[in-house]
Amino acid sequence: MQTDSSFTFVLFGGTGDLSMRKILPALYEAHRAGMLAASGKIVAVARHEEDRDGYLRWVNEHVKAHVAKSGVDENAWTSFIARIEYVKLDLGNAEDFVKLRDALQDLPGTRVFYLATGPSLFVPICRALASVGLNEHARIVLEKPLGYDLRSSNAINDAVGEIFAEEQIYRIDHYLGKEPVQNLLALRFGNALFEPLWRREWVESIQITIAEELGVEARGDFYDNTGALRDMVQNHLLQLLSIVAMEPPHSMDSDSVRDEKLRVLRALKPIDPRDISKVAVRGQYHAGVIRGTSVPAYATEPGVKTDSATETFVALKVEIENWRWAGVPFFLRTGKRLADRVAEIVVNFRAVPHSALGASALRAGANRLVIRLQPNETIRLYCLAKKPGEGMNLSSVHLDLAFDQFFKEGQMEAYQRLLLDVINGRLALFVRRDEQEAAWKWVEPILNEWAASGKPKPYAAGTWGPAAASAMLAQHDTCWLEEEN
């Protein structure tokens, strides 16, 4: 399905890693699938001394490796790069923004400004766009992290909000564009089977994990001033939690969905600083082995201070104070240099209240739903069935929805979906300012307490983090999914 109207997509940071790995590959896939209006244009903006031909050589070298597994269709690629223009721009030179305005003057459709830059540049870019009248009839896309804490986040939002109206601002969180997250909404609100069970009476606990095998790579300078709580929890994990726990919206329009997510974030039980050691675990990876390869400790990574107290692992116990979820623990976890790369949501249903079939029917986790976001996007429902043979012996079985096997159409990558939503003016999968504020308010007591306390707990690279994360779940007679298996 083609986009509704023509567009001009202006990509700040056009030579950066995010543009090469995610944004331009996503736009190419949309183009190859016939989902972009034929007249739509892409204008890359960067400070590199390149002409258009030089920039296209850069794109050919760095983007092709990141397109889908199916590879590059050379005819589609040729017509895709024909959409691309390049503007050399120095953010400190006001005349360069005049040149940008002139370059955009005759290009068609709605203007989308995508800021694939550091957050320190968001406000200067927005002000410079406004100075030449480019903030009118336009949309602005802001990448995370949006600020360092509540105060800095508000400062950026205040400044950007003076230039662009809230309905023009698209704060992107790519996890919200993943197919299984969208299917979670369909699963809950489109099926009578699940919605009656999606509440405290039937759910024992919920786990949300985003685990990475990679370390900080070339991002040591950035990461050492950020940490896992800011980088992953405040945005990705809390957004996933709000999707899992939200009430049914009256429709799927942008404000209805985001209103319900906001109610969840505002219902999060406040963290008492005195209880942080009981409900929050932070860790930092030391040297270890991942898949047979030795990897260094975080403190020896390039750009990282040798005495760093920055956390590379976070595990939290979260509670939601409302009628649906009161008393149900949500366990959130994220980390770098862990044993596997996985992102998943695990819904553990309560055991049956009485079993005539033996103790196995009463064990925790006998009935669970596992929603895998990466690397393979699947939804798996676990239940008990009788083993073949004599006697009533039960065994765990599962029903799978593997999207790539069930649906003939190719799956849409998260960035592809979100970029199409920006071009078409759909806000539902983007974070509203009040959501962001609520998330920052909730995490700030943890940030403040950790800033005043000692170092994170060590864990060996290639493991699942500090033992304290497992001990936290053991207090609730449960464990992380991989520990049970």
Side-chain angles (χ1 to χ4, degrees):
M1 181 179 176
Q2 197 176 81
T3 51
D4 298 337
S5 60
S6 190
F7 65 93
T8 297
F9 189 96
V10 183
L11 179 57
F12 284 85
T15 57
D17 185 60
L18 180 64
S19 297
M20 297 298 110
R21 288 188 304 108
K22 294 294 184 182
I23 300 170
L24 288 174
L27 289 170
Y28 163 73
E29 293 296 343
H31 168 85
R32 179 165 66 169
M35 304 179 81
L36 297 181
S39 58
K41 290 290 185 180
I42 300 166
V43 179
V45 175
R47 61 185 178 183
H48 288 244
E49 293 286 353
E50 298 278 4
D51 58 13
R52 179 175 182 271
D53 289 341
Y55 180 71
L56 292 183
R57 286 193 294 272
W58 180 277
V59 169
N60 271 294
E61 180 181 352
H62 292 88
V63 175
K64 281 187 173 182
H66 299 292
V67 301
K69 295 177 183 178
S70 56
V72 173
D73 178 314
E74 290 298 336
N75 290 331
W77 180 259
T78 299
S79 57
F80 171 68
I81 63 173
R83 294 179 181 269
I84 300 176
E85 303 292 339
Y86 179 74
V87 175
K88 186 264 180 187
L89 187 146
D90 179 356
L91 295 179
N93 187 346
E95 292 182 1
D96 279 6
F97 278 86
V98 174
K99 288 192 292 184
L100 177 63
R101 180 193 62 193
D102 294 343
L104 300 181
Q105 188 169 359
D106 296 326
L107 295 182
T110 299
R111 288 173 183 154
V112 174
F113 296 103
Y114 196 114
L115 274 53
T117 67
S120 63
L121 299 178
F122 291 172
V123 173
I125 291 173
C126 289
R127 286 174 175 164
L129 291 172
S131 72
V132 294
L134 289 176
N135 60 317
E136 299 177 4
H137 309 295
R139 295 164 190 154
I140 189 91
V141 185
L142 305 179
E143 269 284 349
K144 78 168 188 74
L146 202 67
Y148 184 77
D149 52 19
L150 179 61
R151 180 179 178 182
S152 58
S153 175
N154 282 341
I156 293 173
N157 278 315
D158 286 344
V160 175
E162 292 174 0
I163 299 162
F164 293 93
E166 179 65 26
E167 60 268 20
Q168 293 177 276
I169 302 172
Y170 291 70
R171 300 173 189 85
I172 195 167
D173 186 325
H174 71 273
Y175 273 87
L176 298 184
K178 289 183 176 290
E179 196 73 55
V181 176
Q182 301 303 295
N183 262 298
L184 175 58
L185 295 173
L187 195 76
R188 282 194 58 192
F189 305 135
N191 295 285
L193 174 65
F194 287 106
E195 178 54 26
L197 305 179
W198 215 263
R199 60 190 67 247
R200 62 185 302 274
E201 291 86 357
W202 301 108
V203 174
E204 185 175 72
S205 66
I206 294 178
Q207 301 174 17
I208 306 177
T209 293
I210 302 176
E212 300 176 273
E213 286 185 337
L214 293 175
V216 294
E217 306 308 298
R219 300 168 70 227
D221 288 329
F222 161 77
Y223 197 89
D224 207 39
N225 292 302
T226 304
L229 189 64
R230 291 183 177 92
D231 190 43
M232 298 296 291
V233 176
Q234 183 271 333
N235 39 69
H236 297 327
L237 280 167
L238 289 185
Q239 281 293 314
L240 290 176
L241 180 147
S242 67
I243 290 283
V244 170
M246 64 187 277
E247 295 296 319
H250 72 80
S251 74
M252 294 306 293
D253 71 78
S254 59
D255 279 331
S256 295
V257 172
R258 296 190 295 180
D259 285 346
E260 297 304 335
K261 287 164 55 191
L262 177 63
R263 289 189 178 96
V264 173
L265 294 170
R266 287 179 171 171
L268 295 177
K269 183 178 179 180
I271 297 289
D272 188 326
R274 295 170 296 183
D275 294 332
I276 284 178
S277 62
K278 301 175 185 176
V279 299
V281 176
R282 63 171 173 159
Q284 185 185 101
Y285 65 81
H286 286 200
V289 178
I290 297 180
R291 301 192 187 278
T293 300
S294 296
V295 297
Y298 172 76
T300 65
E301 299 272 22
V304 175
K305 297 185 291 291
T306 56
D307 61 346
S308 175
T310 298
E311 78 284 353
T312 62
F313 175 95
V314 175
L316 301 170
K317 176 201 167 190
V318 180
E319 295 183 63
I320 300 173
E321 297 184 313
N322 63 18
W323 277 80
R324 184 183 289 267
W325 296 113
V328 176
F330 286 71
F331 298 107
L332 312 184
R333 176 178 58 164
T334 186
K336 291 189 174 295
R337 293 293 192 205
L338 298 182
D340 199 3
R341 172 180 174 264
V342 62
E344 65 187 7
I345 300 163
V346 180
V347 181
N348 289 313
F349 294 101
R350 296 188 185 278
V352 295
H354 169 74
S355 174
L357 303 176
S360 59
L362 296 173
R363 64 180 174 84
N367 303 138
R368 67 160 53 104
L369 184 69
V370 178
I371 301 156
R372 177 67 63 91
L373 308 179
Q374 65 183 29
N376 302 311
E377 298 182 339
T378 60
I379 294 178
R380 176 172 287 184
L381 177 63
Y382 288 85
C383 54
L384 294 175
K386 178 189 175 297
K387 289 182 179 180
E390 187 178 2
M392 184 58 73
N393 298 311
L394 303 183
S395 179
S396 180
V397 298
H398 53 79
L399 309 173
D400 277 350
L401 170 57
F403 300 110
D404 58 345
Q405 297 177 24
F406 191 86
F407 296 106
K408 302 301 182 184
E409 303 87 350
Q411 289 191 61
M412 192 181 295
E413 292 292 331
Y415 268 96
Q416 183 181 342
R417 172 180 288 105
L418 294 172
L419 294 182
L420 289 171
D421 278 1
V422 176
I423 291 169
N424 286 319
R426 297 189 287 258
L427 279 158
L429 300 183
F430 296 85
V431 181
R432 204 166 58 191
R433 176 175 179 170
D434 48 11
E435 292 180 74
Q436 197 171 65
E437 288 182 359
W440 274 120
K441 286 178 181 177
W442 187 81
V443 302
E444 274 212 326
I446 307 173
L447 288 170
N448 294 337
E449 181 65 20
W450 284 355
S453 61
K455 287 193 171 185
K457 298 179 183 298
Y459 65 95
T463 67
W464 282 102
S470 298
M472 183 171 67
L473 270 69
Q475 295 174 8
H476 297 272
D477 296 321
T478 189
C479 63
W480 299 106
L481 182 60
E482 77 281 348
E483 294 173 334
E484 181 174 307
N485 293 339

